[in-house]
Amino acid sequence: MGTRKRREKDREAMRRRILDAAKQLFAKQGFDNVSMRGIAAAIEYSPAALYRYFKNKREILSVLRDEGFKRFVQTQKERSEAIPDPLERLRLSGRGYLRFALEEPEYFHLMFSTSCQEVDMEGDCDGYARKSFEIFYQNIQECVENGYFGQVSVDAAVFSIWSNVHGLAHLINSGRVEAFTDSLDFDRLLKDIQAFSLRPGAR
Amino acid sequence: MGTRKRREKDREAMRRRILDAAKQLFAKQGFDNVSMRGIAAAIEYSPAALYRYFKNKREILSVLRDEGFKRFVQTQKERSEAIPDPLERLRLSGRGYLRFALEEPEYFHLMFSTSCQEVDMEGDCDGYARKSFEIFYQNIQECVENGYFGQVSVDAAVFSIWSNVHGLAHLINSGRVEAFTDSLDFDRLLKDIQAFSLRPGAR
Amino acid sequence: MGTRKRREKDREAMRRRILDAAKQLFAKQGFDNVSMRGIAAAIEYSPAALYRYFKNKREILSVLRDEGFKRFVQTQKERSEAIPDPLERLRLSGRGYLRFALEEPEYFHLMFSTSCQEVDMEGDCDGYARKSFEIFYQNIQECVENGYFGQVSVDAAVFSIWSNVHGLAHLINSGRVEAFTDSLDFDRLLKDIQAFSLRPGAR
Amino acid sequence: MGTRKRREKDREAMRRRILDAAKQLFAKQGFDNVSMRGIAAAIEYSPAALYRYFKNKREILSVLRDEGFKRFVQTQKERSEAIPDPLERLRLSGRGYLRFALEEPEYFHLMFSTSCQEVDMEGDCDGYARKSFEIFYQNIQECVENGYFGQVSVDAAVFSIWSNVHGLAHLINSGRVEAFTDSLDFDRLLKDIQAFSLRPGAR
DNA sequence: AATGAATGAGAGTTCATTCAT
DNA sequence: AATGAATGAACTCTCATTCAT
């Protein structure tokens, strides 16, 4: 029936509205400082209405984080699959990571700014995160095996490069890069940073 | 007067006790989950007593953040002043940054994980942060000028290396390094990461 | 019209299903802990559906209590009508009272444990209760007139014997008999109690 | 210090006020239908104030029940200790039970109208109840051994007589005796009822 | 200087009930 | 006839904060 489908679509749209409002608020004020009342007010519904769509406050966060990871992995995968050169793949992957962080700062915040185990990963976050990590790890491994980074353990390279891009995303999103540079050409700066952080290692 | 001095000393001691208790609790339970009651209980005073020493809860946080920055800059300065070799200085500085992040995770969180302007920087944080940045910047500049990092703009090197150590601190503190490595020798791993991230650049 | 009748029958069947579900739940969880949602879920309908059949939650309770009384009186009547010997009739009546209390504890609670006037007796409860009392009174009167209970006013015997069985029902239902006896043969105990409470009186 | 004592007295007075208000409300409206707000309103305090004196709502009930039992046992004990004749003792005890039920209907309701195990007897209720029961049991046993009640098991006599007085208290408190008798001399009626319910048994 | 008492505000959550469909 | 959506009111309980003592 058309009605049935319509219903489902409406329901999904409502969930979306709630999630979007919550996403903004969580990122802006932190999970604890956001109240169900606040979310409800943001979408101009009654607090009780939220409970028709989500079991409780925690579930909203959980779903959001899940979404974030899913979307993130998606982009990472797409970007990396086609490229044969591991170094080029790495560059793309890094740019993807950064772009995700900058374009979806709320998701990024929700995904990475709370401790890993704190909220015990109710959804598939864990799975997605691991998947994504494995792709990344493979990528680095190829580079290391090619000798591009010189004498270095895969683990060291992995966490160093991850830290690099992760930290950069963080510094940008928290306004620290802007605050401390006079550089006018932001994109140029980013490129230079990446070039530097992926510079070849001593043989 | 002796009495006067005594009074002030007592007062300072009490402030200290409160701050210490608060810091502990913040680190253990997160800022939002610490109540004034909780702090008061920890030092076995009544909640009302706290208000003789601090205007409100926010002030406690504010002072702690301020202290965090001060202490952080202090260490950074001490470590770097004596060492003539800029690269060695950089290594020390990085280790200091990391150690601070790991030993005082809540300070670190307070200082860096909240958006720059969000918490309205009541204290001198801003000044300290700038001071610290300048020292760091100088340090990198020397390295670049020495040609150690090869062809790279100072800004790019600055933010790349900062990102590196900042991101690493973050990944460790949020449990992500632990979660994704089987490495048993954590210290070894950290050393390798630093060596890699400060590897010389192509000339 | 056949349709009309069919309609009514369906409606009645639905009311029945609701009442039965409600009764079960009331007995299991207590009146206050049963929600309309709960009742609806039990019959796999939507909460809103209940309101086509009952004005509100109170009405469900009211109807149940009414039914309880009706059924109670019915049993009392049936049991007593056929038996000519008043004492034997009394025994049967007492056993009926007790059985009702034990088999339908929530009905019993609804009927007797709330103050008489408190719940404003929307239905015919009052009438039924009175009817039932009159039968009982008659019964005792005959026994007293026969001299079975010795020298005693009808009123005294009436309230004493009523108290007896009522109190016993109460003590059993609230778990107090079980809690305070080691007797294994519960039925035997009940029989002995009745025999004792209906023992003949001094001439 | 005087101050200290004063404080404690005030505190105790406040607890008393809360308990009294709660007692009335619980008895009148049932535990579930009484809100902390309601209790607070009754004593013209803020709801939050209650939590300074009691951990939560359940604790209030628990303390009240405890008090009820303590007081009840006290009277039972006092009454029965001095009297050597077991039958006379029984009469006194029964009158005490009834008087307690009528004079403190709220306590009585709280103590006996909720299921035994339902609220899992956090306080000493259980102990008091058992103590009281044992005294009563002893009393009946003596009567039975004296042959006063004729051929009957102690258990049967115990629960029969307890039921008697318990049921009577219940019927009176719920307005059912008043509703169903025209008797003008209420005290006379009670005496007759007791005389009847404690009539000697056949040898 | 320190505290016990008190409270207003607000948290998450549930419920009986209504109404458009 | 039945339902999904929605809500206002209520619940228990916690918190930061003030104030008389």
Side-chain angles (χ1 to χ4, degrees), chain D residues 92-114:
Chain D
L92 261 181
S93 155
R95 278 205 282 276
Y97 198 104
L98 206 57
R99 175 176 304 179
F100 181 83
L102 304 192
E103 283 178 358
E104 313 249 38
E106 299 92 351
Y107 274 135
F108 188 74
H109 189 82
L110 286 172
M111 289 158 61
F112 289 115
S113 276
T114 44

Short mmCIF file of all heavy atoms in Angstrom, two decimals, chain D residues 92-114:
data_model
loop_
_atom_site.label_atom_id
_atom_site.label_comp_id
_atom_site.label_asym_id
_atom_site.label_seq_id
_atom_site.Cartn_x
_atom_site.Cartn_y
_atom_site.Cartn_z
N LEU D 92 -7.32 -9.63 75.97
CA LEU D 92 -6.64 -8.34 76.00
C LEU D 92 -5.88 -8.10 74.70
O LEU D 92 -5.91 -7.02 74.11
CB LEU D 92 -5.65 -8.29 77.16
CG LEU D 92 -6.15 -7.58 78.39
CD1 LEU D 92 -5.06 -7.60 79.46
CD2 LEU D 92 -6.53 -6.13 78.06
N SER D 93 -5.19 -9.15 74.30
CA SER D 93 -4.40 -9.04 73.09
C SER D 93 -5.28 -8.69 71.88
O SER D 93 -4.94 -7.84 71.06
CB SER D 93 -3.66 -10.37 72.86
OG SER D 93 -3.36 -10.56 71.52
N GLY D 94 -6.41 -9.38 71.80
CA GLY D 94 -7.33 -9.11 70.69
C GLY D 94 -7.83 -7.68 70.72
O GLY D 94 -7.88 -6.99 69.70
N ARG D 95 -8.18 -7.24 71.92
CA ARG D 95 -8.66 -5.85 72.03
C ARG D 95 -7.56 -4.88 71.63
O ARG D 95 -7.82 -3.86 71.01
CB ARG D 95 -9.12 -5.57 73.47
CG ARG D 95 -10.53 -6.07 73.71
CD ARG D 95 -11.21 -5.31 74.85
NE ARG D 95 -10.76 -5.74 76.18
CZ ARG D 95 -11.28 -6.80 76.81
NH1 ARG D 95 -12.25 -7.51 76.27
NH2 ARG D 95 -10.84 -7.13 78.00
N GLY D 96 -6.32 -5.24 71.98
CA GLY D 96 -5.19 -4.38 71.61
C GLY D 96 -5.02 -4.31 70.10
O GLY D 96 -4.82 -3.24 69.53
N TYR D 97 -5.10 -5.47 69.49
CA TYR D 97 -4.99 -5.54 68.02
C TYR D 97 -6.02 -4.63 67.38
O TYR D 97 -5.71 -3.79 66.54
CB TYR D 97 -5.23 -6.98 67.59
CG TYR D 97 -4.76 -7.37 66.20
CD1 TYR D 97 -3.60 -8.13 66.04
CD2 TYR D 97 -5.47 -7.02 65.07
CE1 TYR D 97 -3.18 -8.53 64.78
CE2 TYR D 97 -5.06 -7.41 63.80
CZ TYR D 97 -3.91 -8.16 63.65
OH TYR D 97 -3.50 -8.54 62.41
N LEU D 98 -7.24 -4.80 67.84
CA LEU D 98 -8.34 -4.04 67.26
C LEU D 98 -8.16 -2.55 67.52
O LEU D 98 -8.32 -1.72 66.62
CB LEU D 98 -9.67 -4.51 67.86
CG LEU D 98 -10.88 -4.28 66.97
CD1 LEU D 98 -10.69 -4.96 65.64
CD2 LEU D 98 -12.13 -4.81 67.66
N ARG D 99 -7.83 -2.23 68.76
CA ARG D 99 -7.67 -0.82 69.08
C ARG D 99 -6.58 -0.18 68.22
O ARG D 99 -6.76 0.90 67.69
CB ARG D 99 -7.31 -0.65 70.56
CG ARG D 99 -7.01 0.81 70.91
CD ARG D 99 -6.74 1.01 72.36
NE ARG D 99 -7.88 0.50 73.16
CZ ARG D 99 -7.91 0.54 74.48
NH1 ARG D 99 -6.90 1.07 75.15
NH2 ARG D 99 -8.94 0.07 75.14
N PHE D 100 -5.48 -0.91 68.07
CA PHE D 100 -4.41 -0.39 67.22
C PHE D 100 -4.93 -0.13 65.81
O PHE D 100 -4.70 0.93 65.22
CB PHE D 100 -3.24 -1.38 67.17
CG PHE D 100 -2.08 -0.89 66.34
CD1 PHE D 100 -1.13 -0.03 66.88
CD2 PHE D 100 -1.95 -1.28 65.01
CE1 PHE D 100 -0.07 0.43 66.11
CE2 PHE D 100 -0.90 -0.81 64.24
CZ PHE D 100 0.04 0.04 64.79
N ALA D 101 -5.65 -1.10 65.28
CA ALA D 101 -6.16 -0.95 63.92
C ALA D 101 -7.09 0.24 63.80
O ALA D 101 -7.08 0.96 62.80
CB ALA D 101 -6.88 -2.22 63.48
N LEU D 102 -7.88 0.45 64.84
CA LEU D 102 -8.85 1.55 64.75
C LEU D 102 -8.23 2.89 65.07
O LEU D 102 -8.60 3.91 64.48
CB LEU D 102 -10.03 1.29 65.70
CG LEU D 102 -10.75 -0.04 65.51
CD1 LEU D 102 -12.07 -0.07 66.29
CD2 LEU D 102 -11.02 -0.29 64.04
N GLU D 103 -7.28 2.88 66.00
CA GLU D 103 -6.70 4.16 66.38
C GLU D 103 -5.61 4.62 65.42
O GLU D 103 -5.34 5.80 65.28
CB GLU D 103 -6.14 4.07 67.81
CG GLU D 103 -7.24 4.13 68.86
CD GLU D 103 -6.68 3.98 70.27
OE1 GLU D 103 -5.45 3.81 70.40
OE2 GLU D 103 -7.48 4.05 71.23
N GLU D 104 -4.96 3.67 64.81
CA GLU D 104 -3.89 4.02 63.87
C GLU D 104 -4.14 3.36 62.52
O GLU D 104 -3.33 2.55 62.04
CB GLU D 104 -2.53 3.54 64.41
CG GLU D 104 -2.29 3.88 65.85
CD GLU D 104 -1.20 4.92 66.02
OE1 GLU D 104 -1.16 5.85 65.16
OE2 GLU D 104 -0.41 4.81 66.96
N PRO D 105 -5.26 3.73 61.95
CA PRO D 105 -5.64 3.02 60.72
C PRO D 105 -4.57 3.13 59.63
O PRO D 105 -4.39 2.21 58.85
CB PRO D 105 -6.94 3.70 60.29
CG PRO D 105 -6.94 5.00 61.00
CD PRO D 105 -6.17 4.81 62.27
N GLU D 106 -3.88 4.26 59.62
CA GLU D 106 -2.86 4.42 58.58
C GLU D 106 -1.72 3.41 58.77
O GLU D 106 -1.33 2.73 57.83
CB GLU D 106 -2.27 5.85 58.58
CG GLU D 106 -3.29 6.93 58.31
CD GLU D 106 -3.89 7.45 59.60
OE1 GLU D 106 -3.62 6.86 60.68
OE2 GLU D 106 -4.63 8.46 59.56
N TYR D 107 -1.22 3.36 59.98
CA TYR D 107 -0.17 2.37 60.24
C TYR D 107 -0.67 0.97 59.89
O TYR D 107 0.01 0.19 59.23
CB TYR D 107 0.24 2.39 61.73
CG TYR D 107 1.29 3.41 62.06
CD1 TYR D 107 1.17 4.22 63.19
CD2 TYR D 107 2.42 3.56 61.27
CE1 TYR D 107 2.13 5.15 63.51
CE2 TYR D 107 3.39 4.48 61.59
CZ TYR D 107 3.24 5.28 62.72
OH TYR D 107 4.21 6.19 63.03
N PHE D 108 -1.86 0.68 60.36
CA PHE D 108 -2.41 -0.64 60.13
C PHE D 108 -2.48 -0.95 58.64
O PHE D 108 -2.07 -2.02 58.17
CB PHE D 108 -3.80 -0.74 60.75
CG PHE D 108 -4.37 -2.13 60.74
CD1 PHE D 108 -3.89 -3.10 61.60
CD2 PHE D 108 -5.37 -2.47 59.85
CE1 PHE D 108 -4.40 -4.39 61.59
CE2 PHE D 108 -5.89 -3.77 59.83
CZ PHE D 108 -5.41 -4.72 60.70
N HIS D 109 -2.92 0.01 57.89
CA HIS D 109 -3.02 -0.16 56.45
C HIS D 109 -1.66 -0.42 55.84
O HIS D 109 -1.48 -1.33 55.03
CB HIS D 109 -3.64 1.11 55.85
CG HIS D 109 -4.00 0.98 54.41
ND1 HIS D 109 -5.15 0.39 53.98
CD2 HIS D 109 -3.33 1.34 53.29
CE1 HIS D 109 -5.20 0.41 52.66
NE2 HIS D 109 -4.10 0.99 52.21
N LEU D 110 -0.71 0.41 56.25
CA LEU D 110 0.64 0.27 55.71
C LEU D 110 1.25 -1.09 56.06
O LEU D 110 1.99 -1.67 55.27
CB LEU D 110 1.55 1.38 56.26
CG LEU D 110 1.30 2.75 55.68
CD1 LEU D 110 2.10 3.79 56.42
CD2 LEU D 110 1.67 2.75 54.20
N MET D 111 0.92 -1.56 57.25
CA MET D 111 1.55 -2.79 57.72
C MET D 111 0.94 -4.03 57.08
O MET D 111 1.64 -4.97 56.76
CB MET D 111 1.39 -2.90 59.24
CG MET D 111 2.23 -1.91 60.01
SD MET D 111 1.57 -1.64 61.67
CE MET D 111 1.67 -3.28 62.39
N PHE D 112 -0.36 -3.98 56.89
CA PHE D 112 -1.01 -5.23 56.51
C PHE D 112 -1.67 -5.23 55.14
O PHE D 112 -2.04 -6.28 54.64
CB PHE D 112 -2.06 -5.61 57.56
CG PHE D 112 -1.45 -6.04 58.86
CD1 PHE D 112 -1.64 -5.30 60.02
CD2 PHE D 112 -0.68 -7.19 58.91
CE1 PHE D 112 -1.09 -5.70 61.21
CE2 PHE D 112 -0.13 -7.61 60.11
CZ PHE D 112 -0.33 -6.86 61.26
N SER D 113 -1.82 -4.07 54.56
CA SER D 113 -2.58 -4.08 53.31
C SER D 113 -1.71 -4.26 52.08
O SER D 113 -2.20 -4.42 50.99
CB SER D 113 -3.42 -2.81 53.18
OG SER D 113 -4.62 -3.01 53.90
N THR D 114 -0.41 -4.23 52.29
CA THR D 114 0.44 -4.55 51.15
C THR D 114 0.99 -5.95 51.37
O THR D 114 1.19 -6.38 52.49
CB THR D 114 1.61 -3.56 51.06
OG1 THR D 114 2.13 -3.37 52.36
CG2 THR D 114 1.13 -2.24 50.49
#
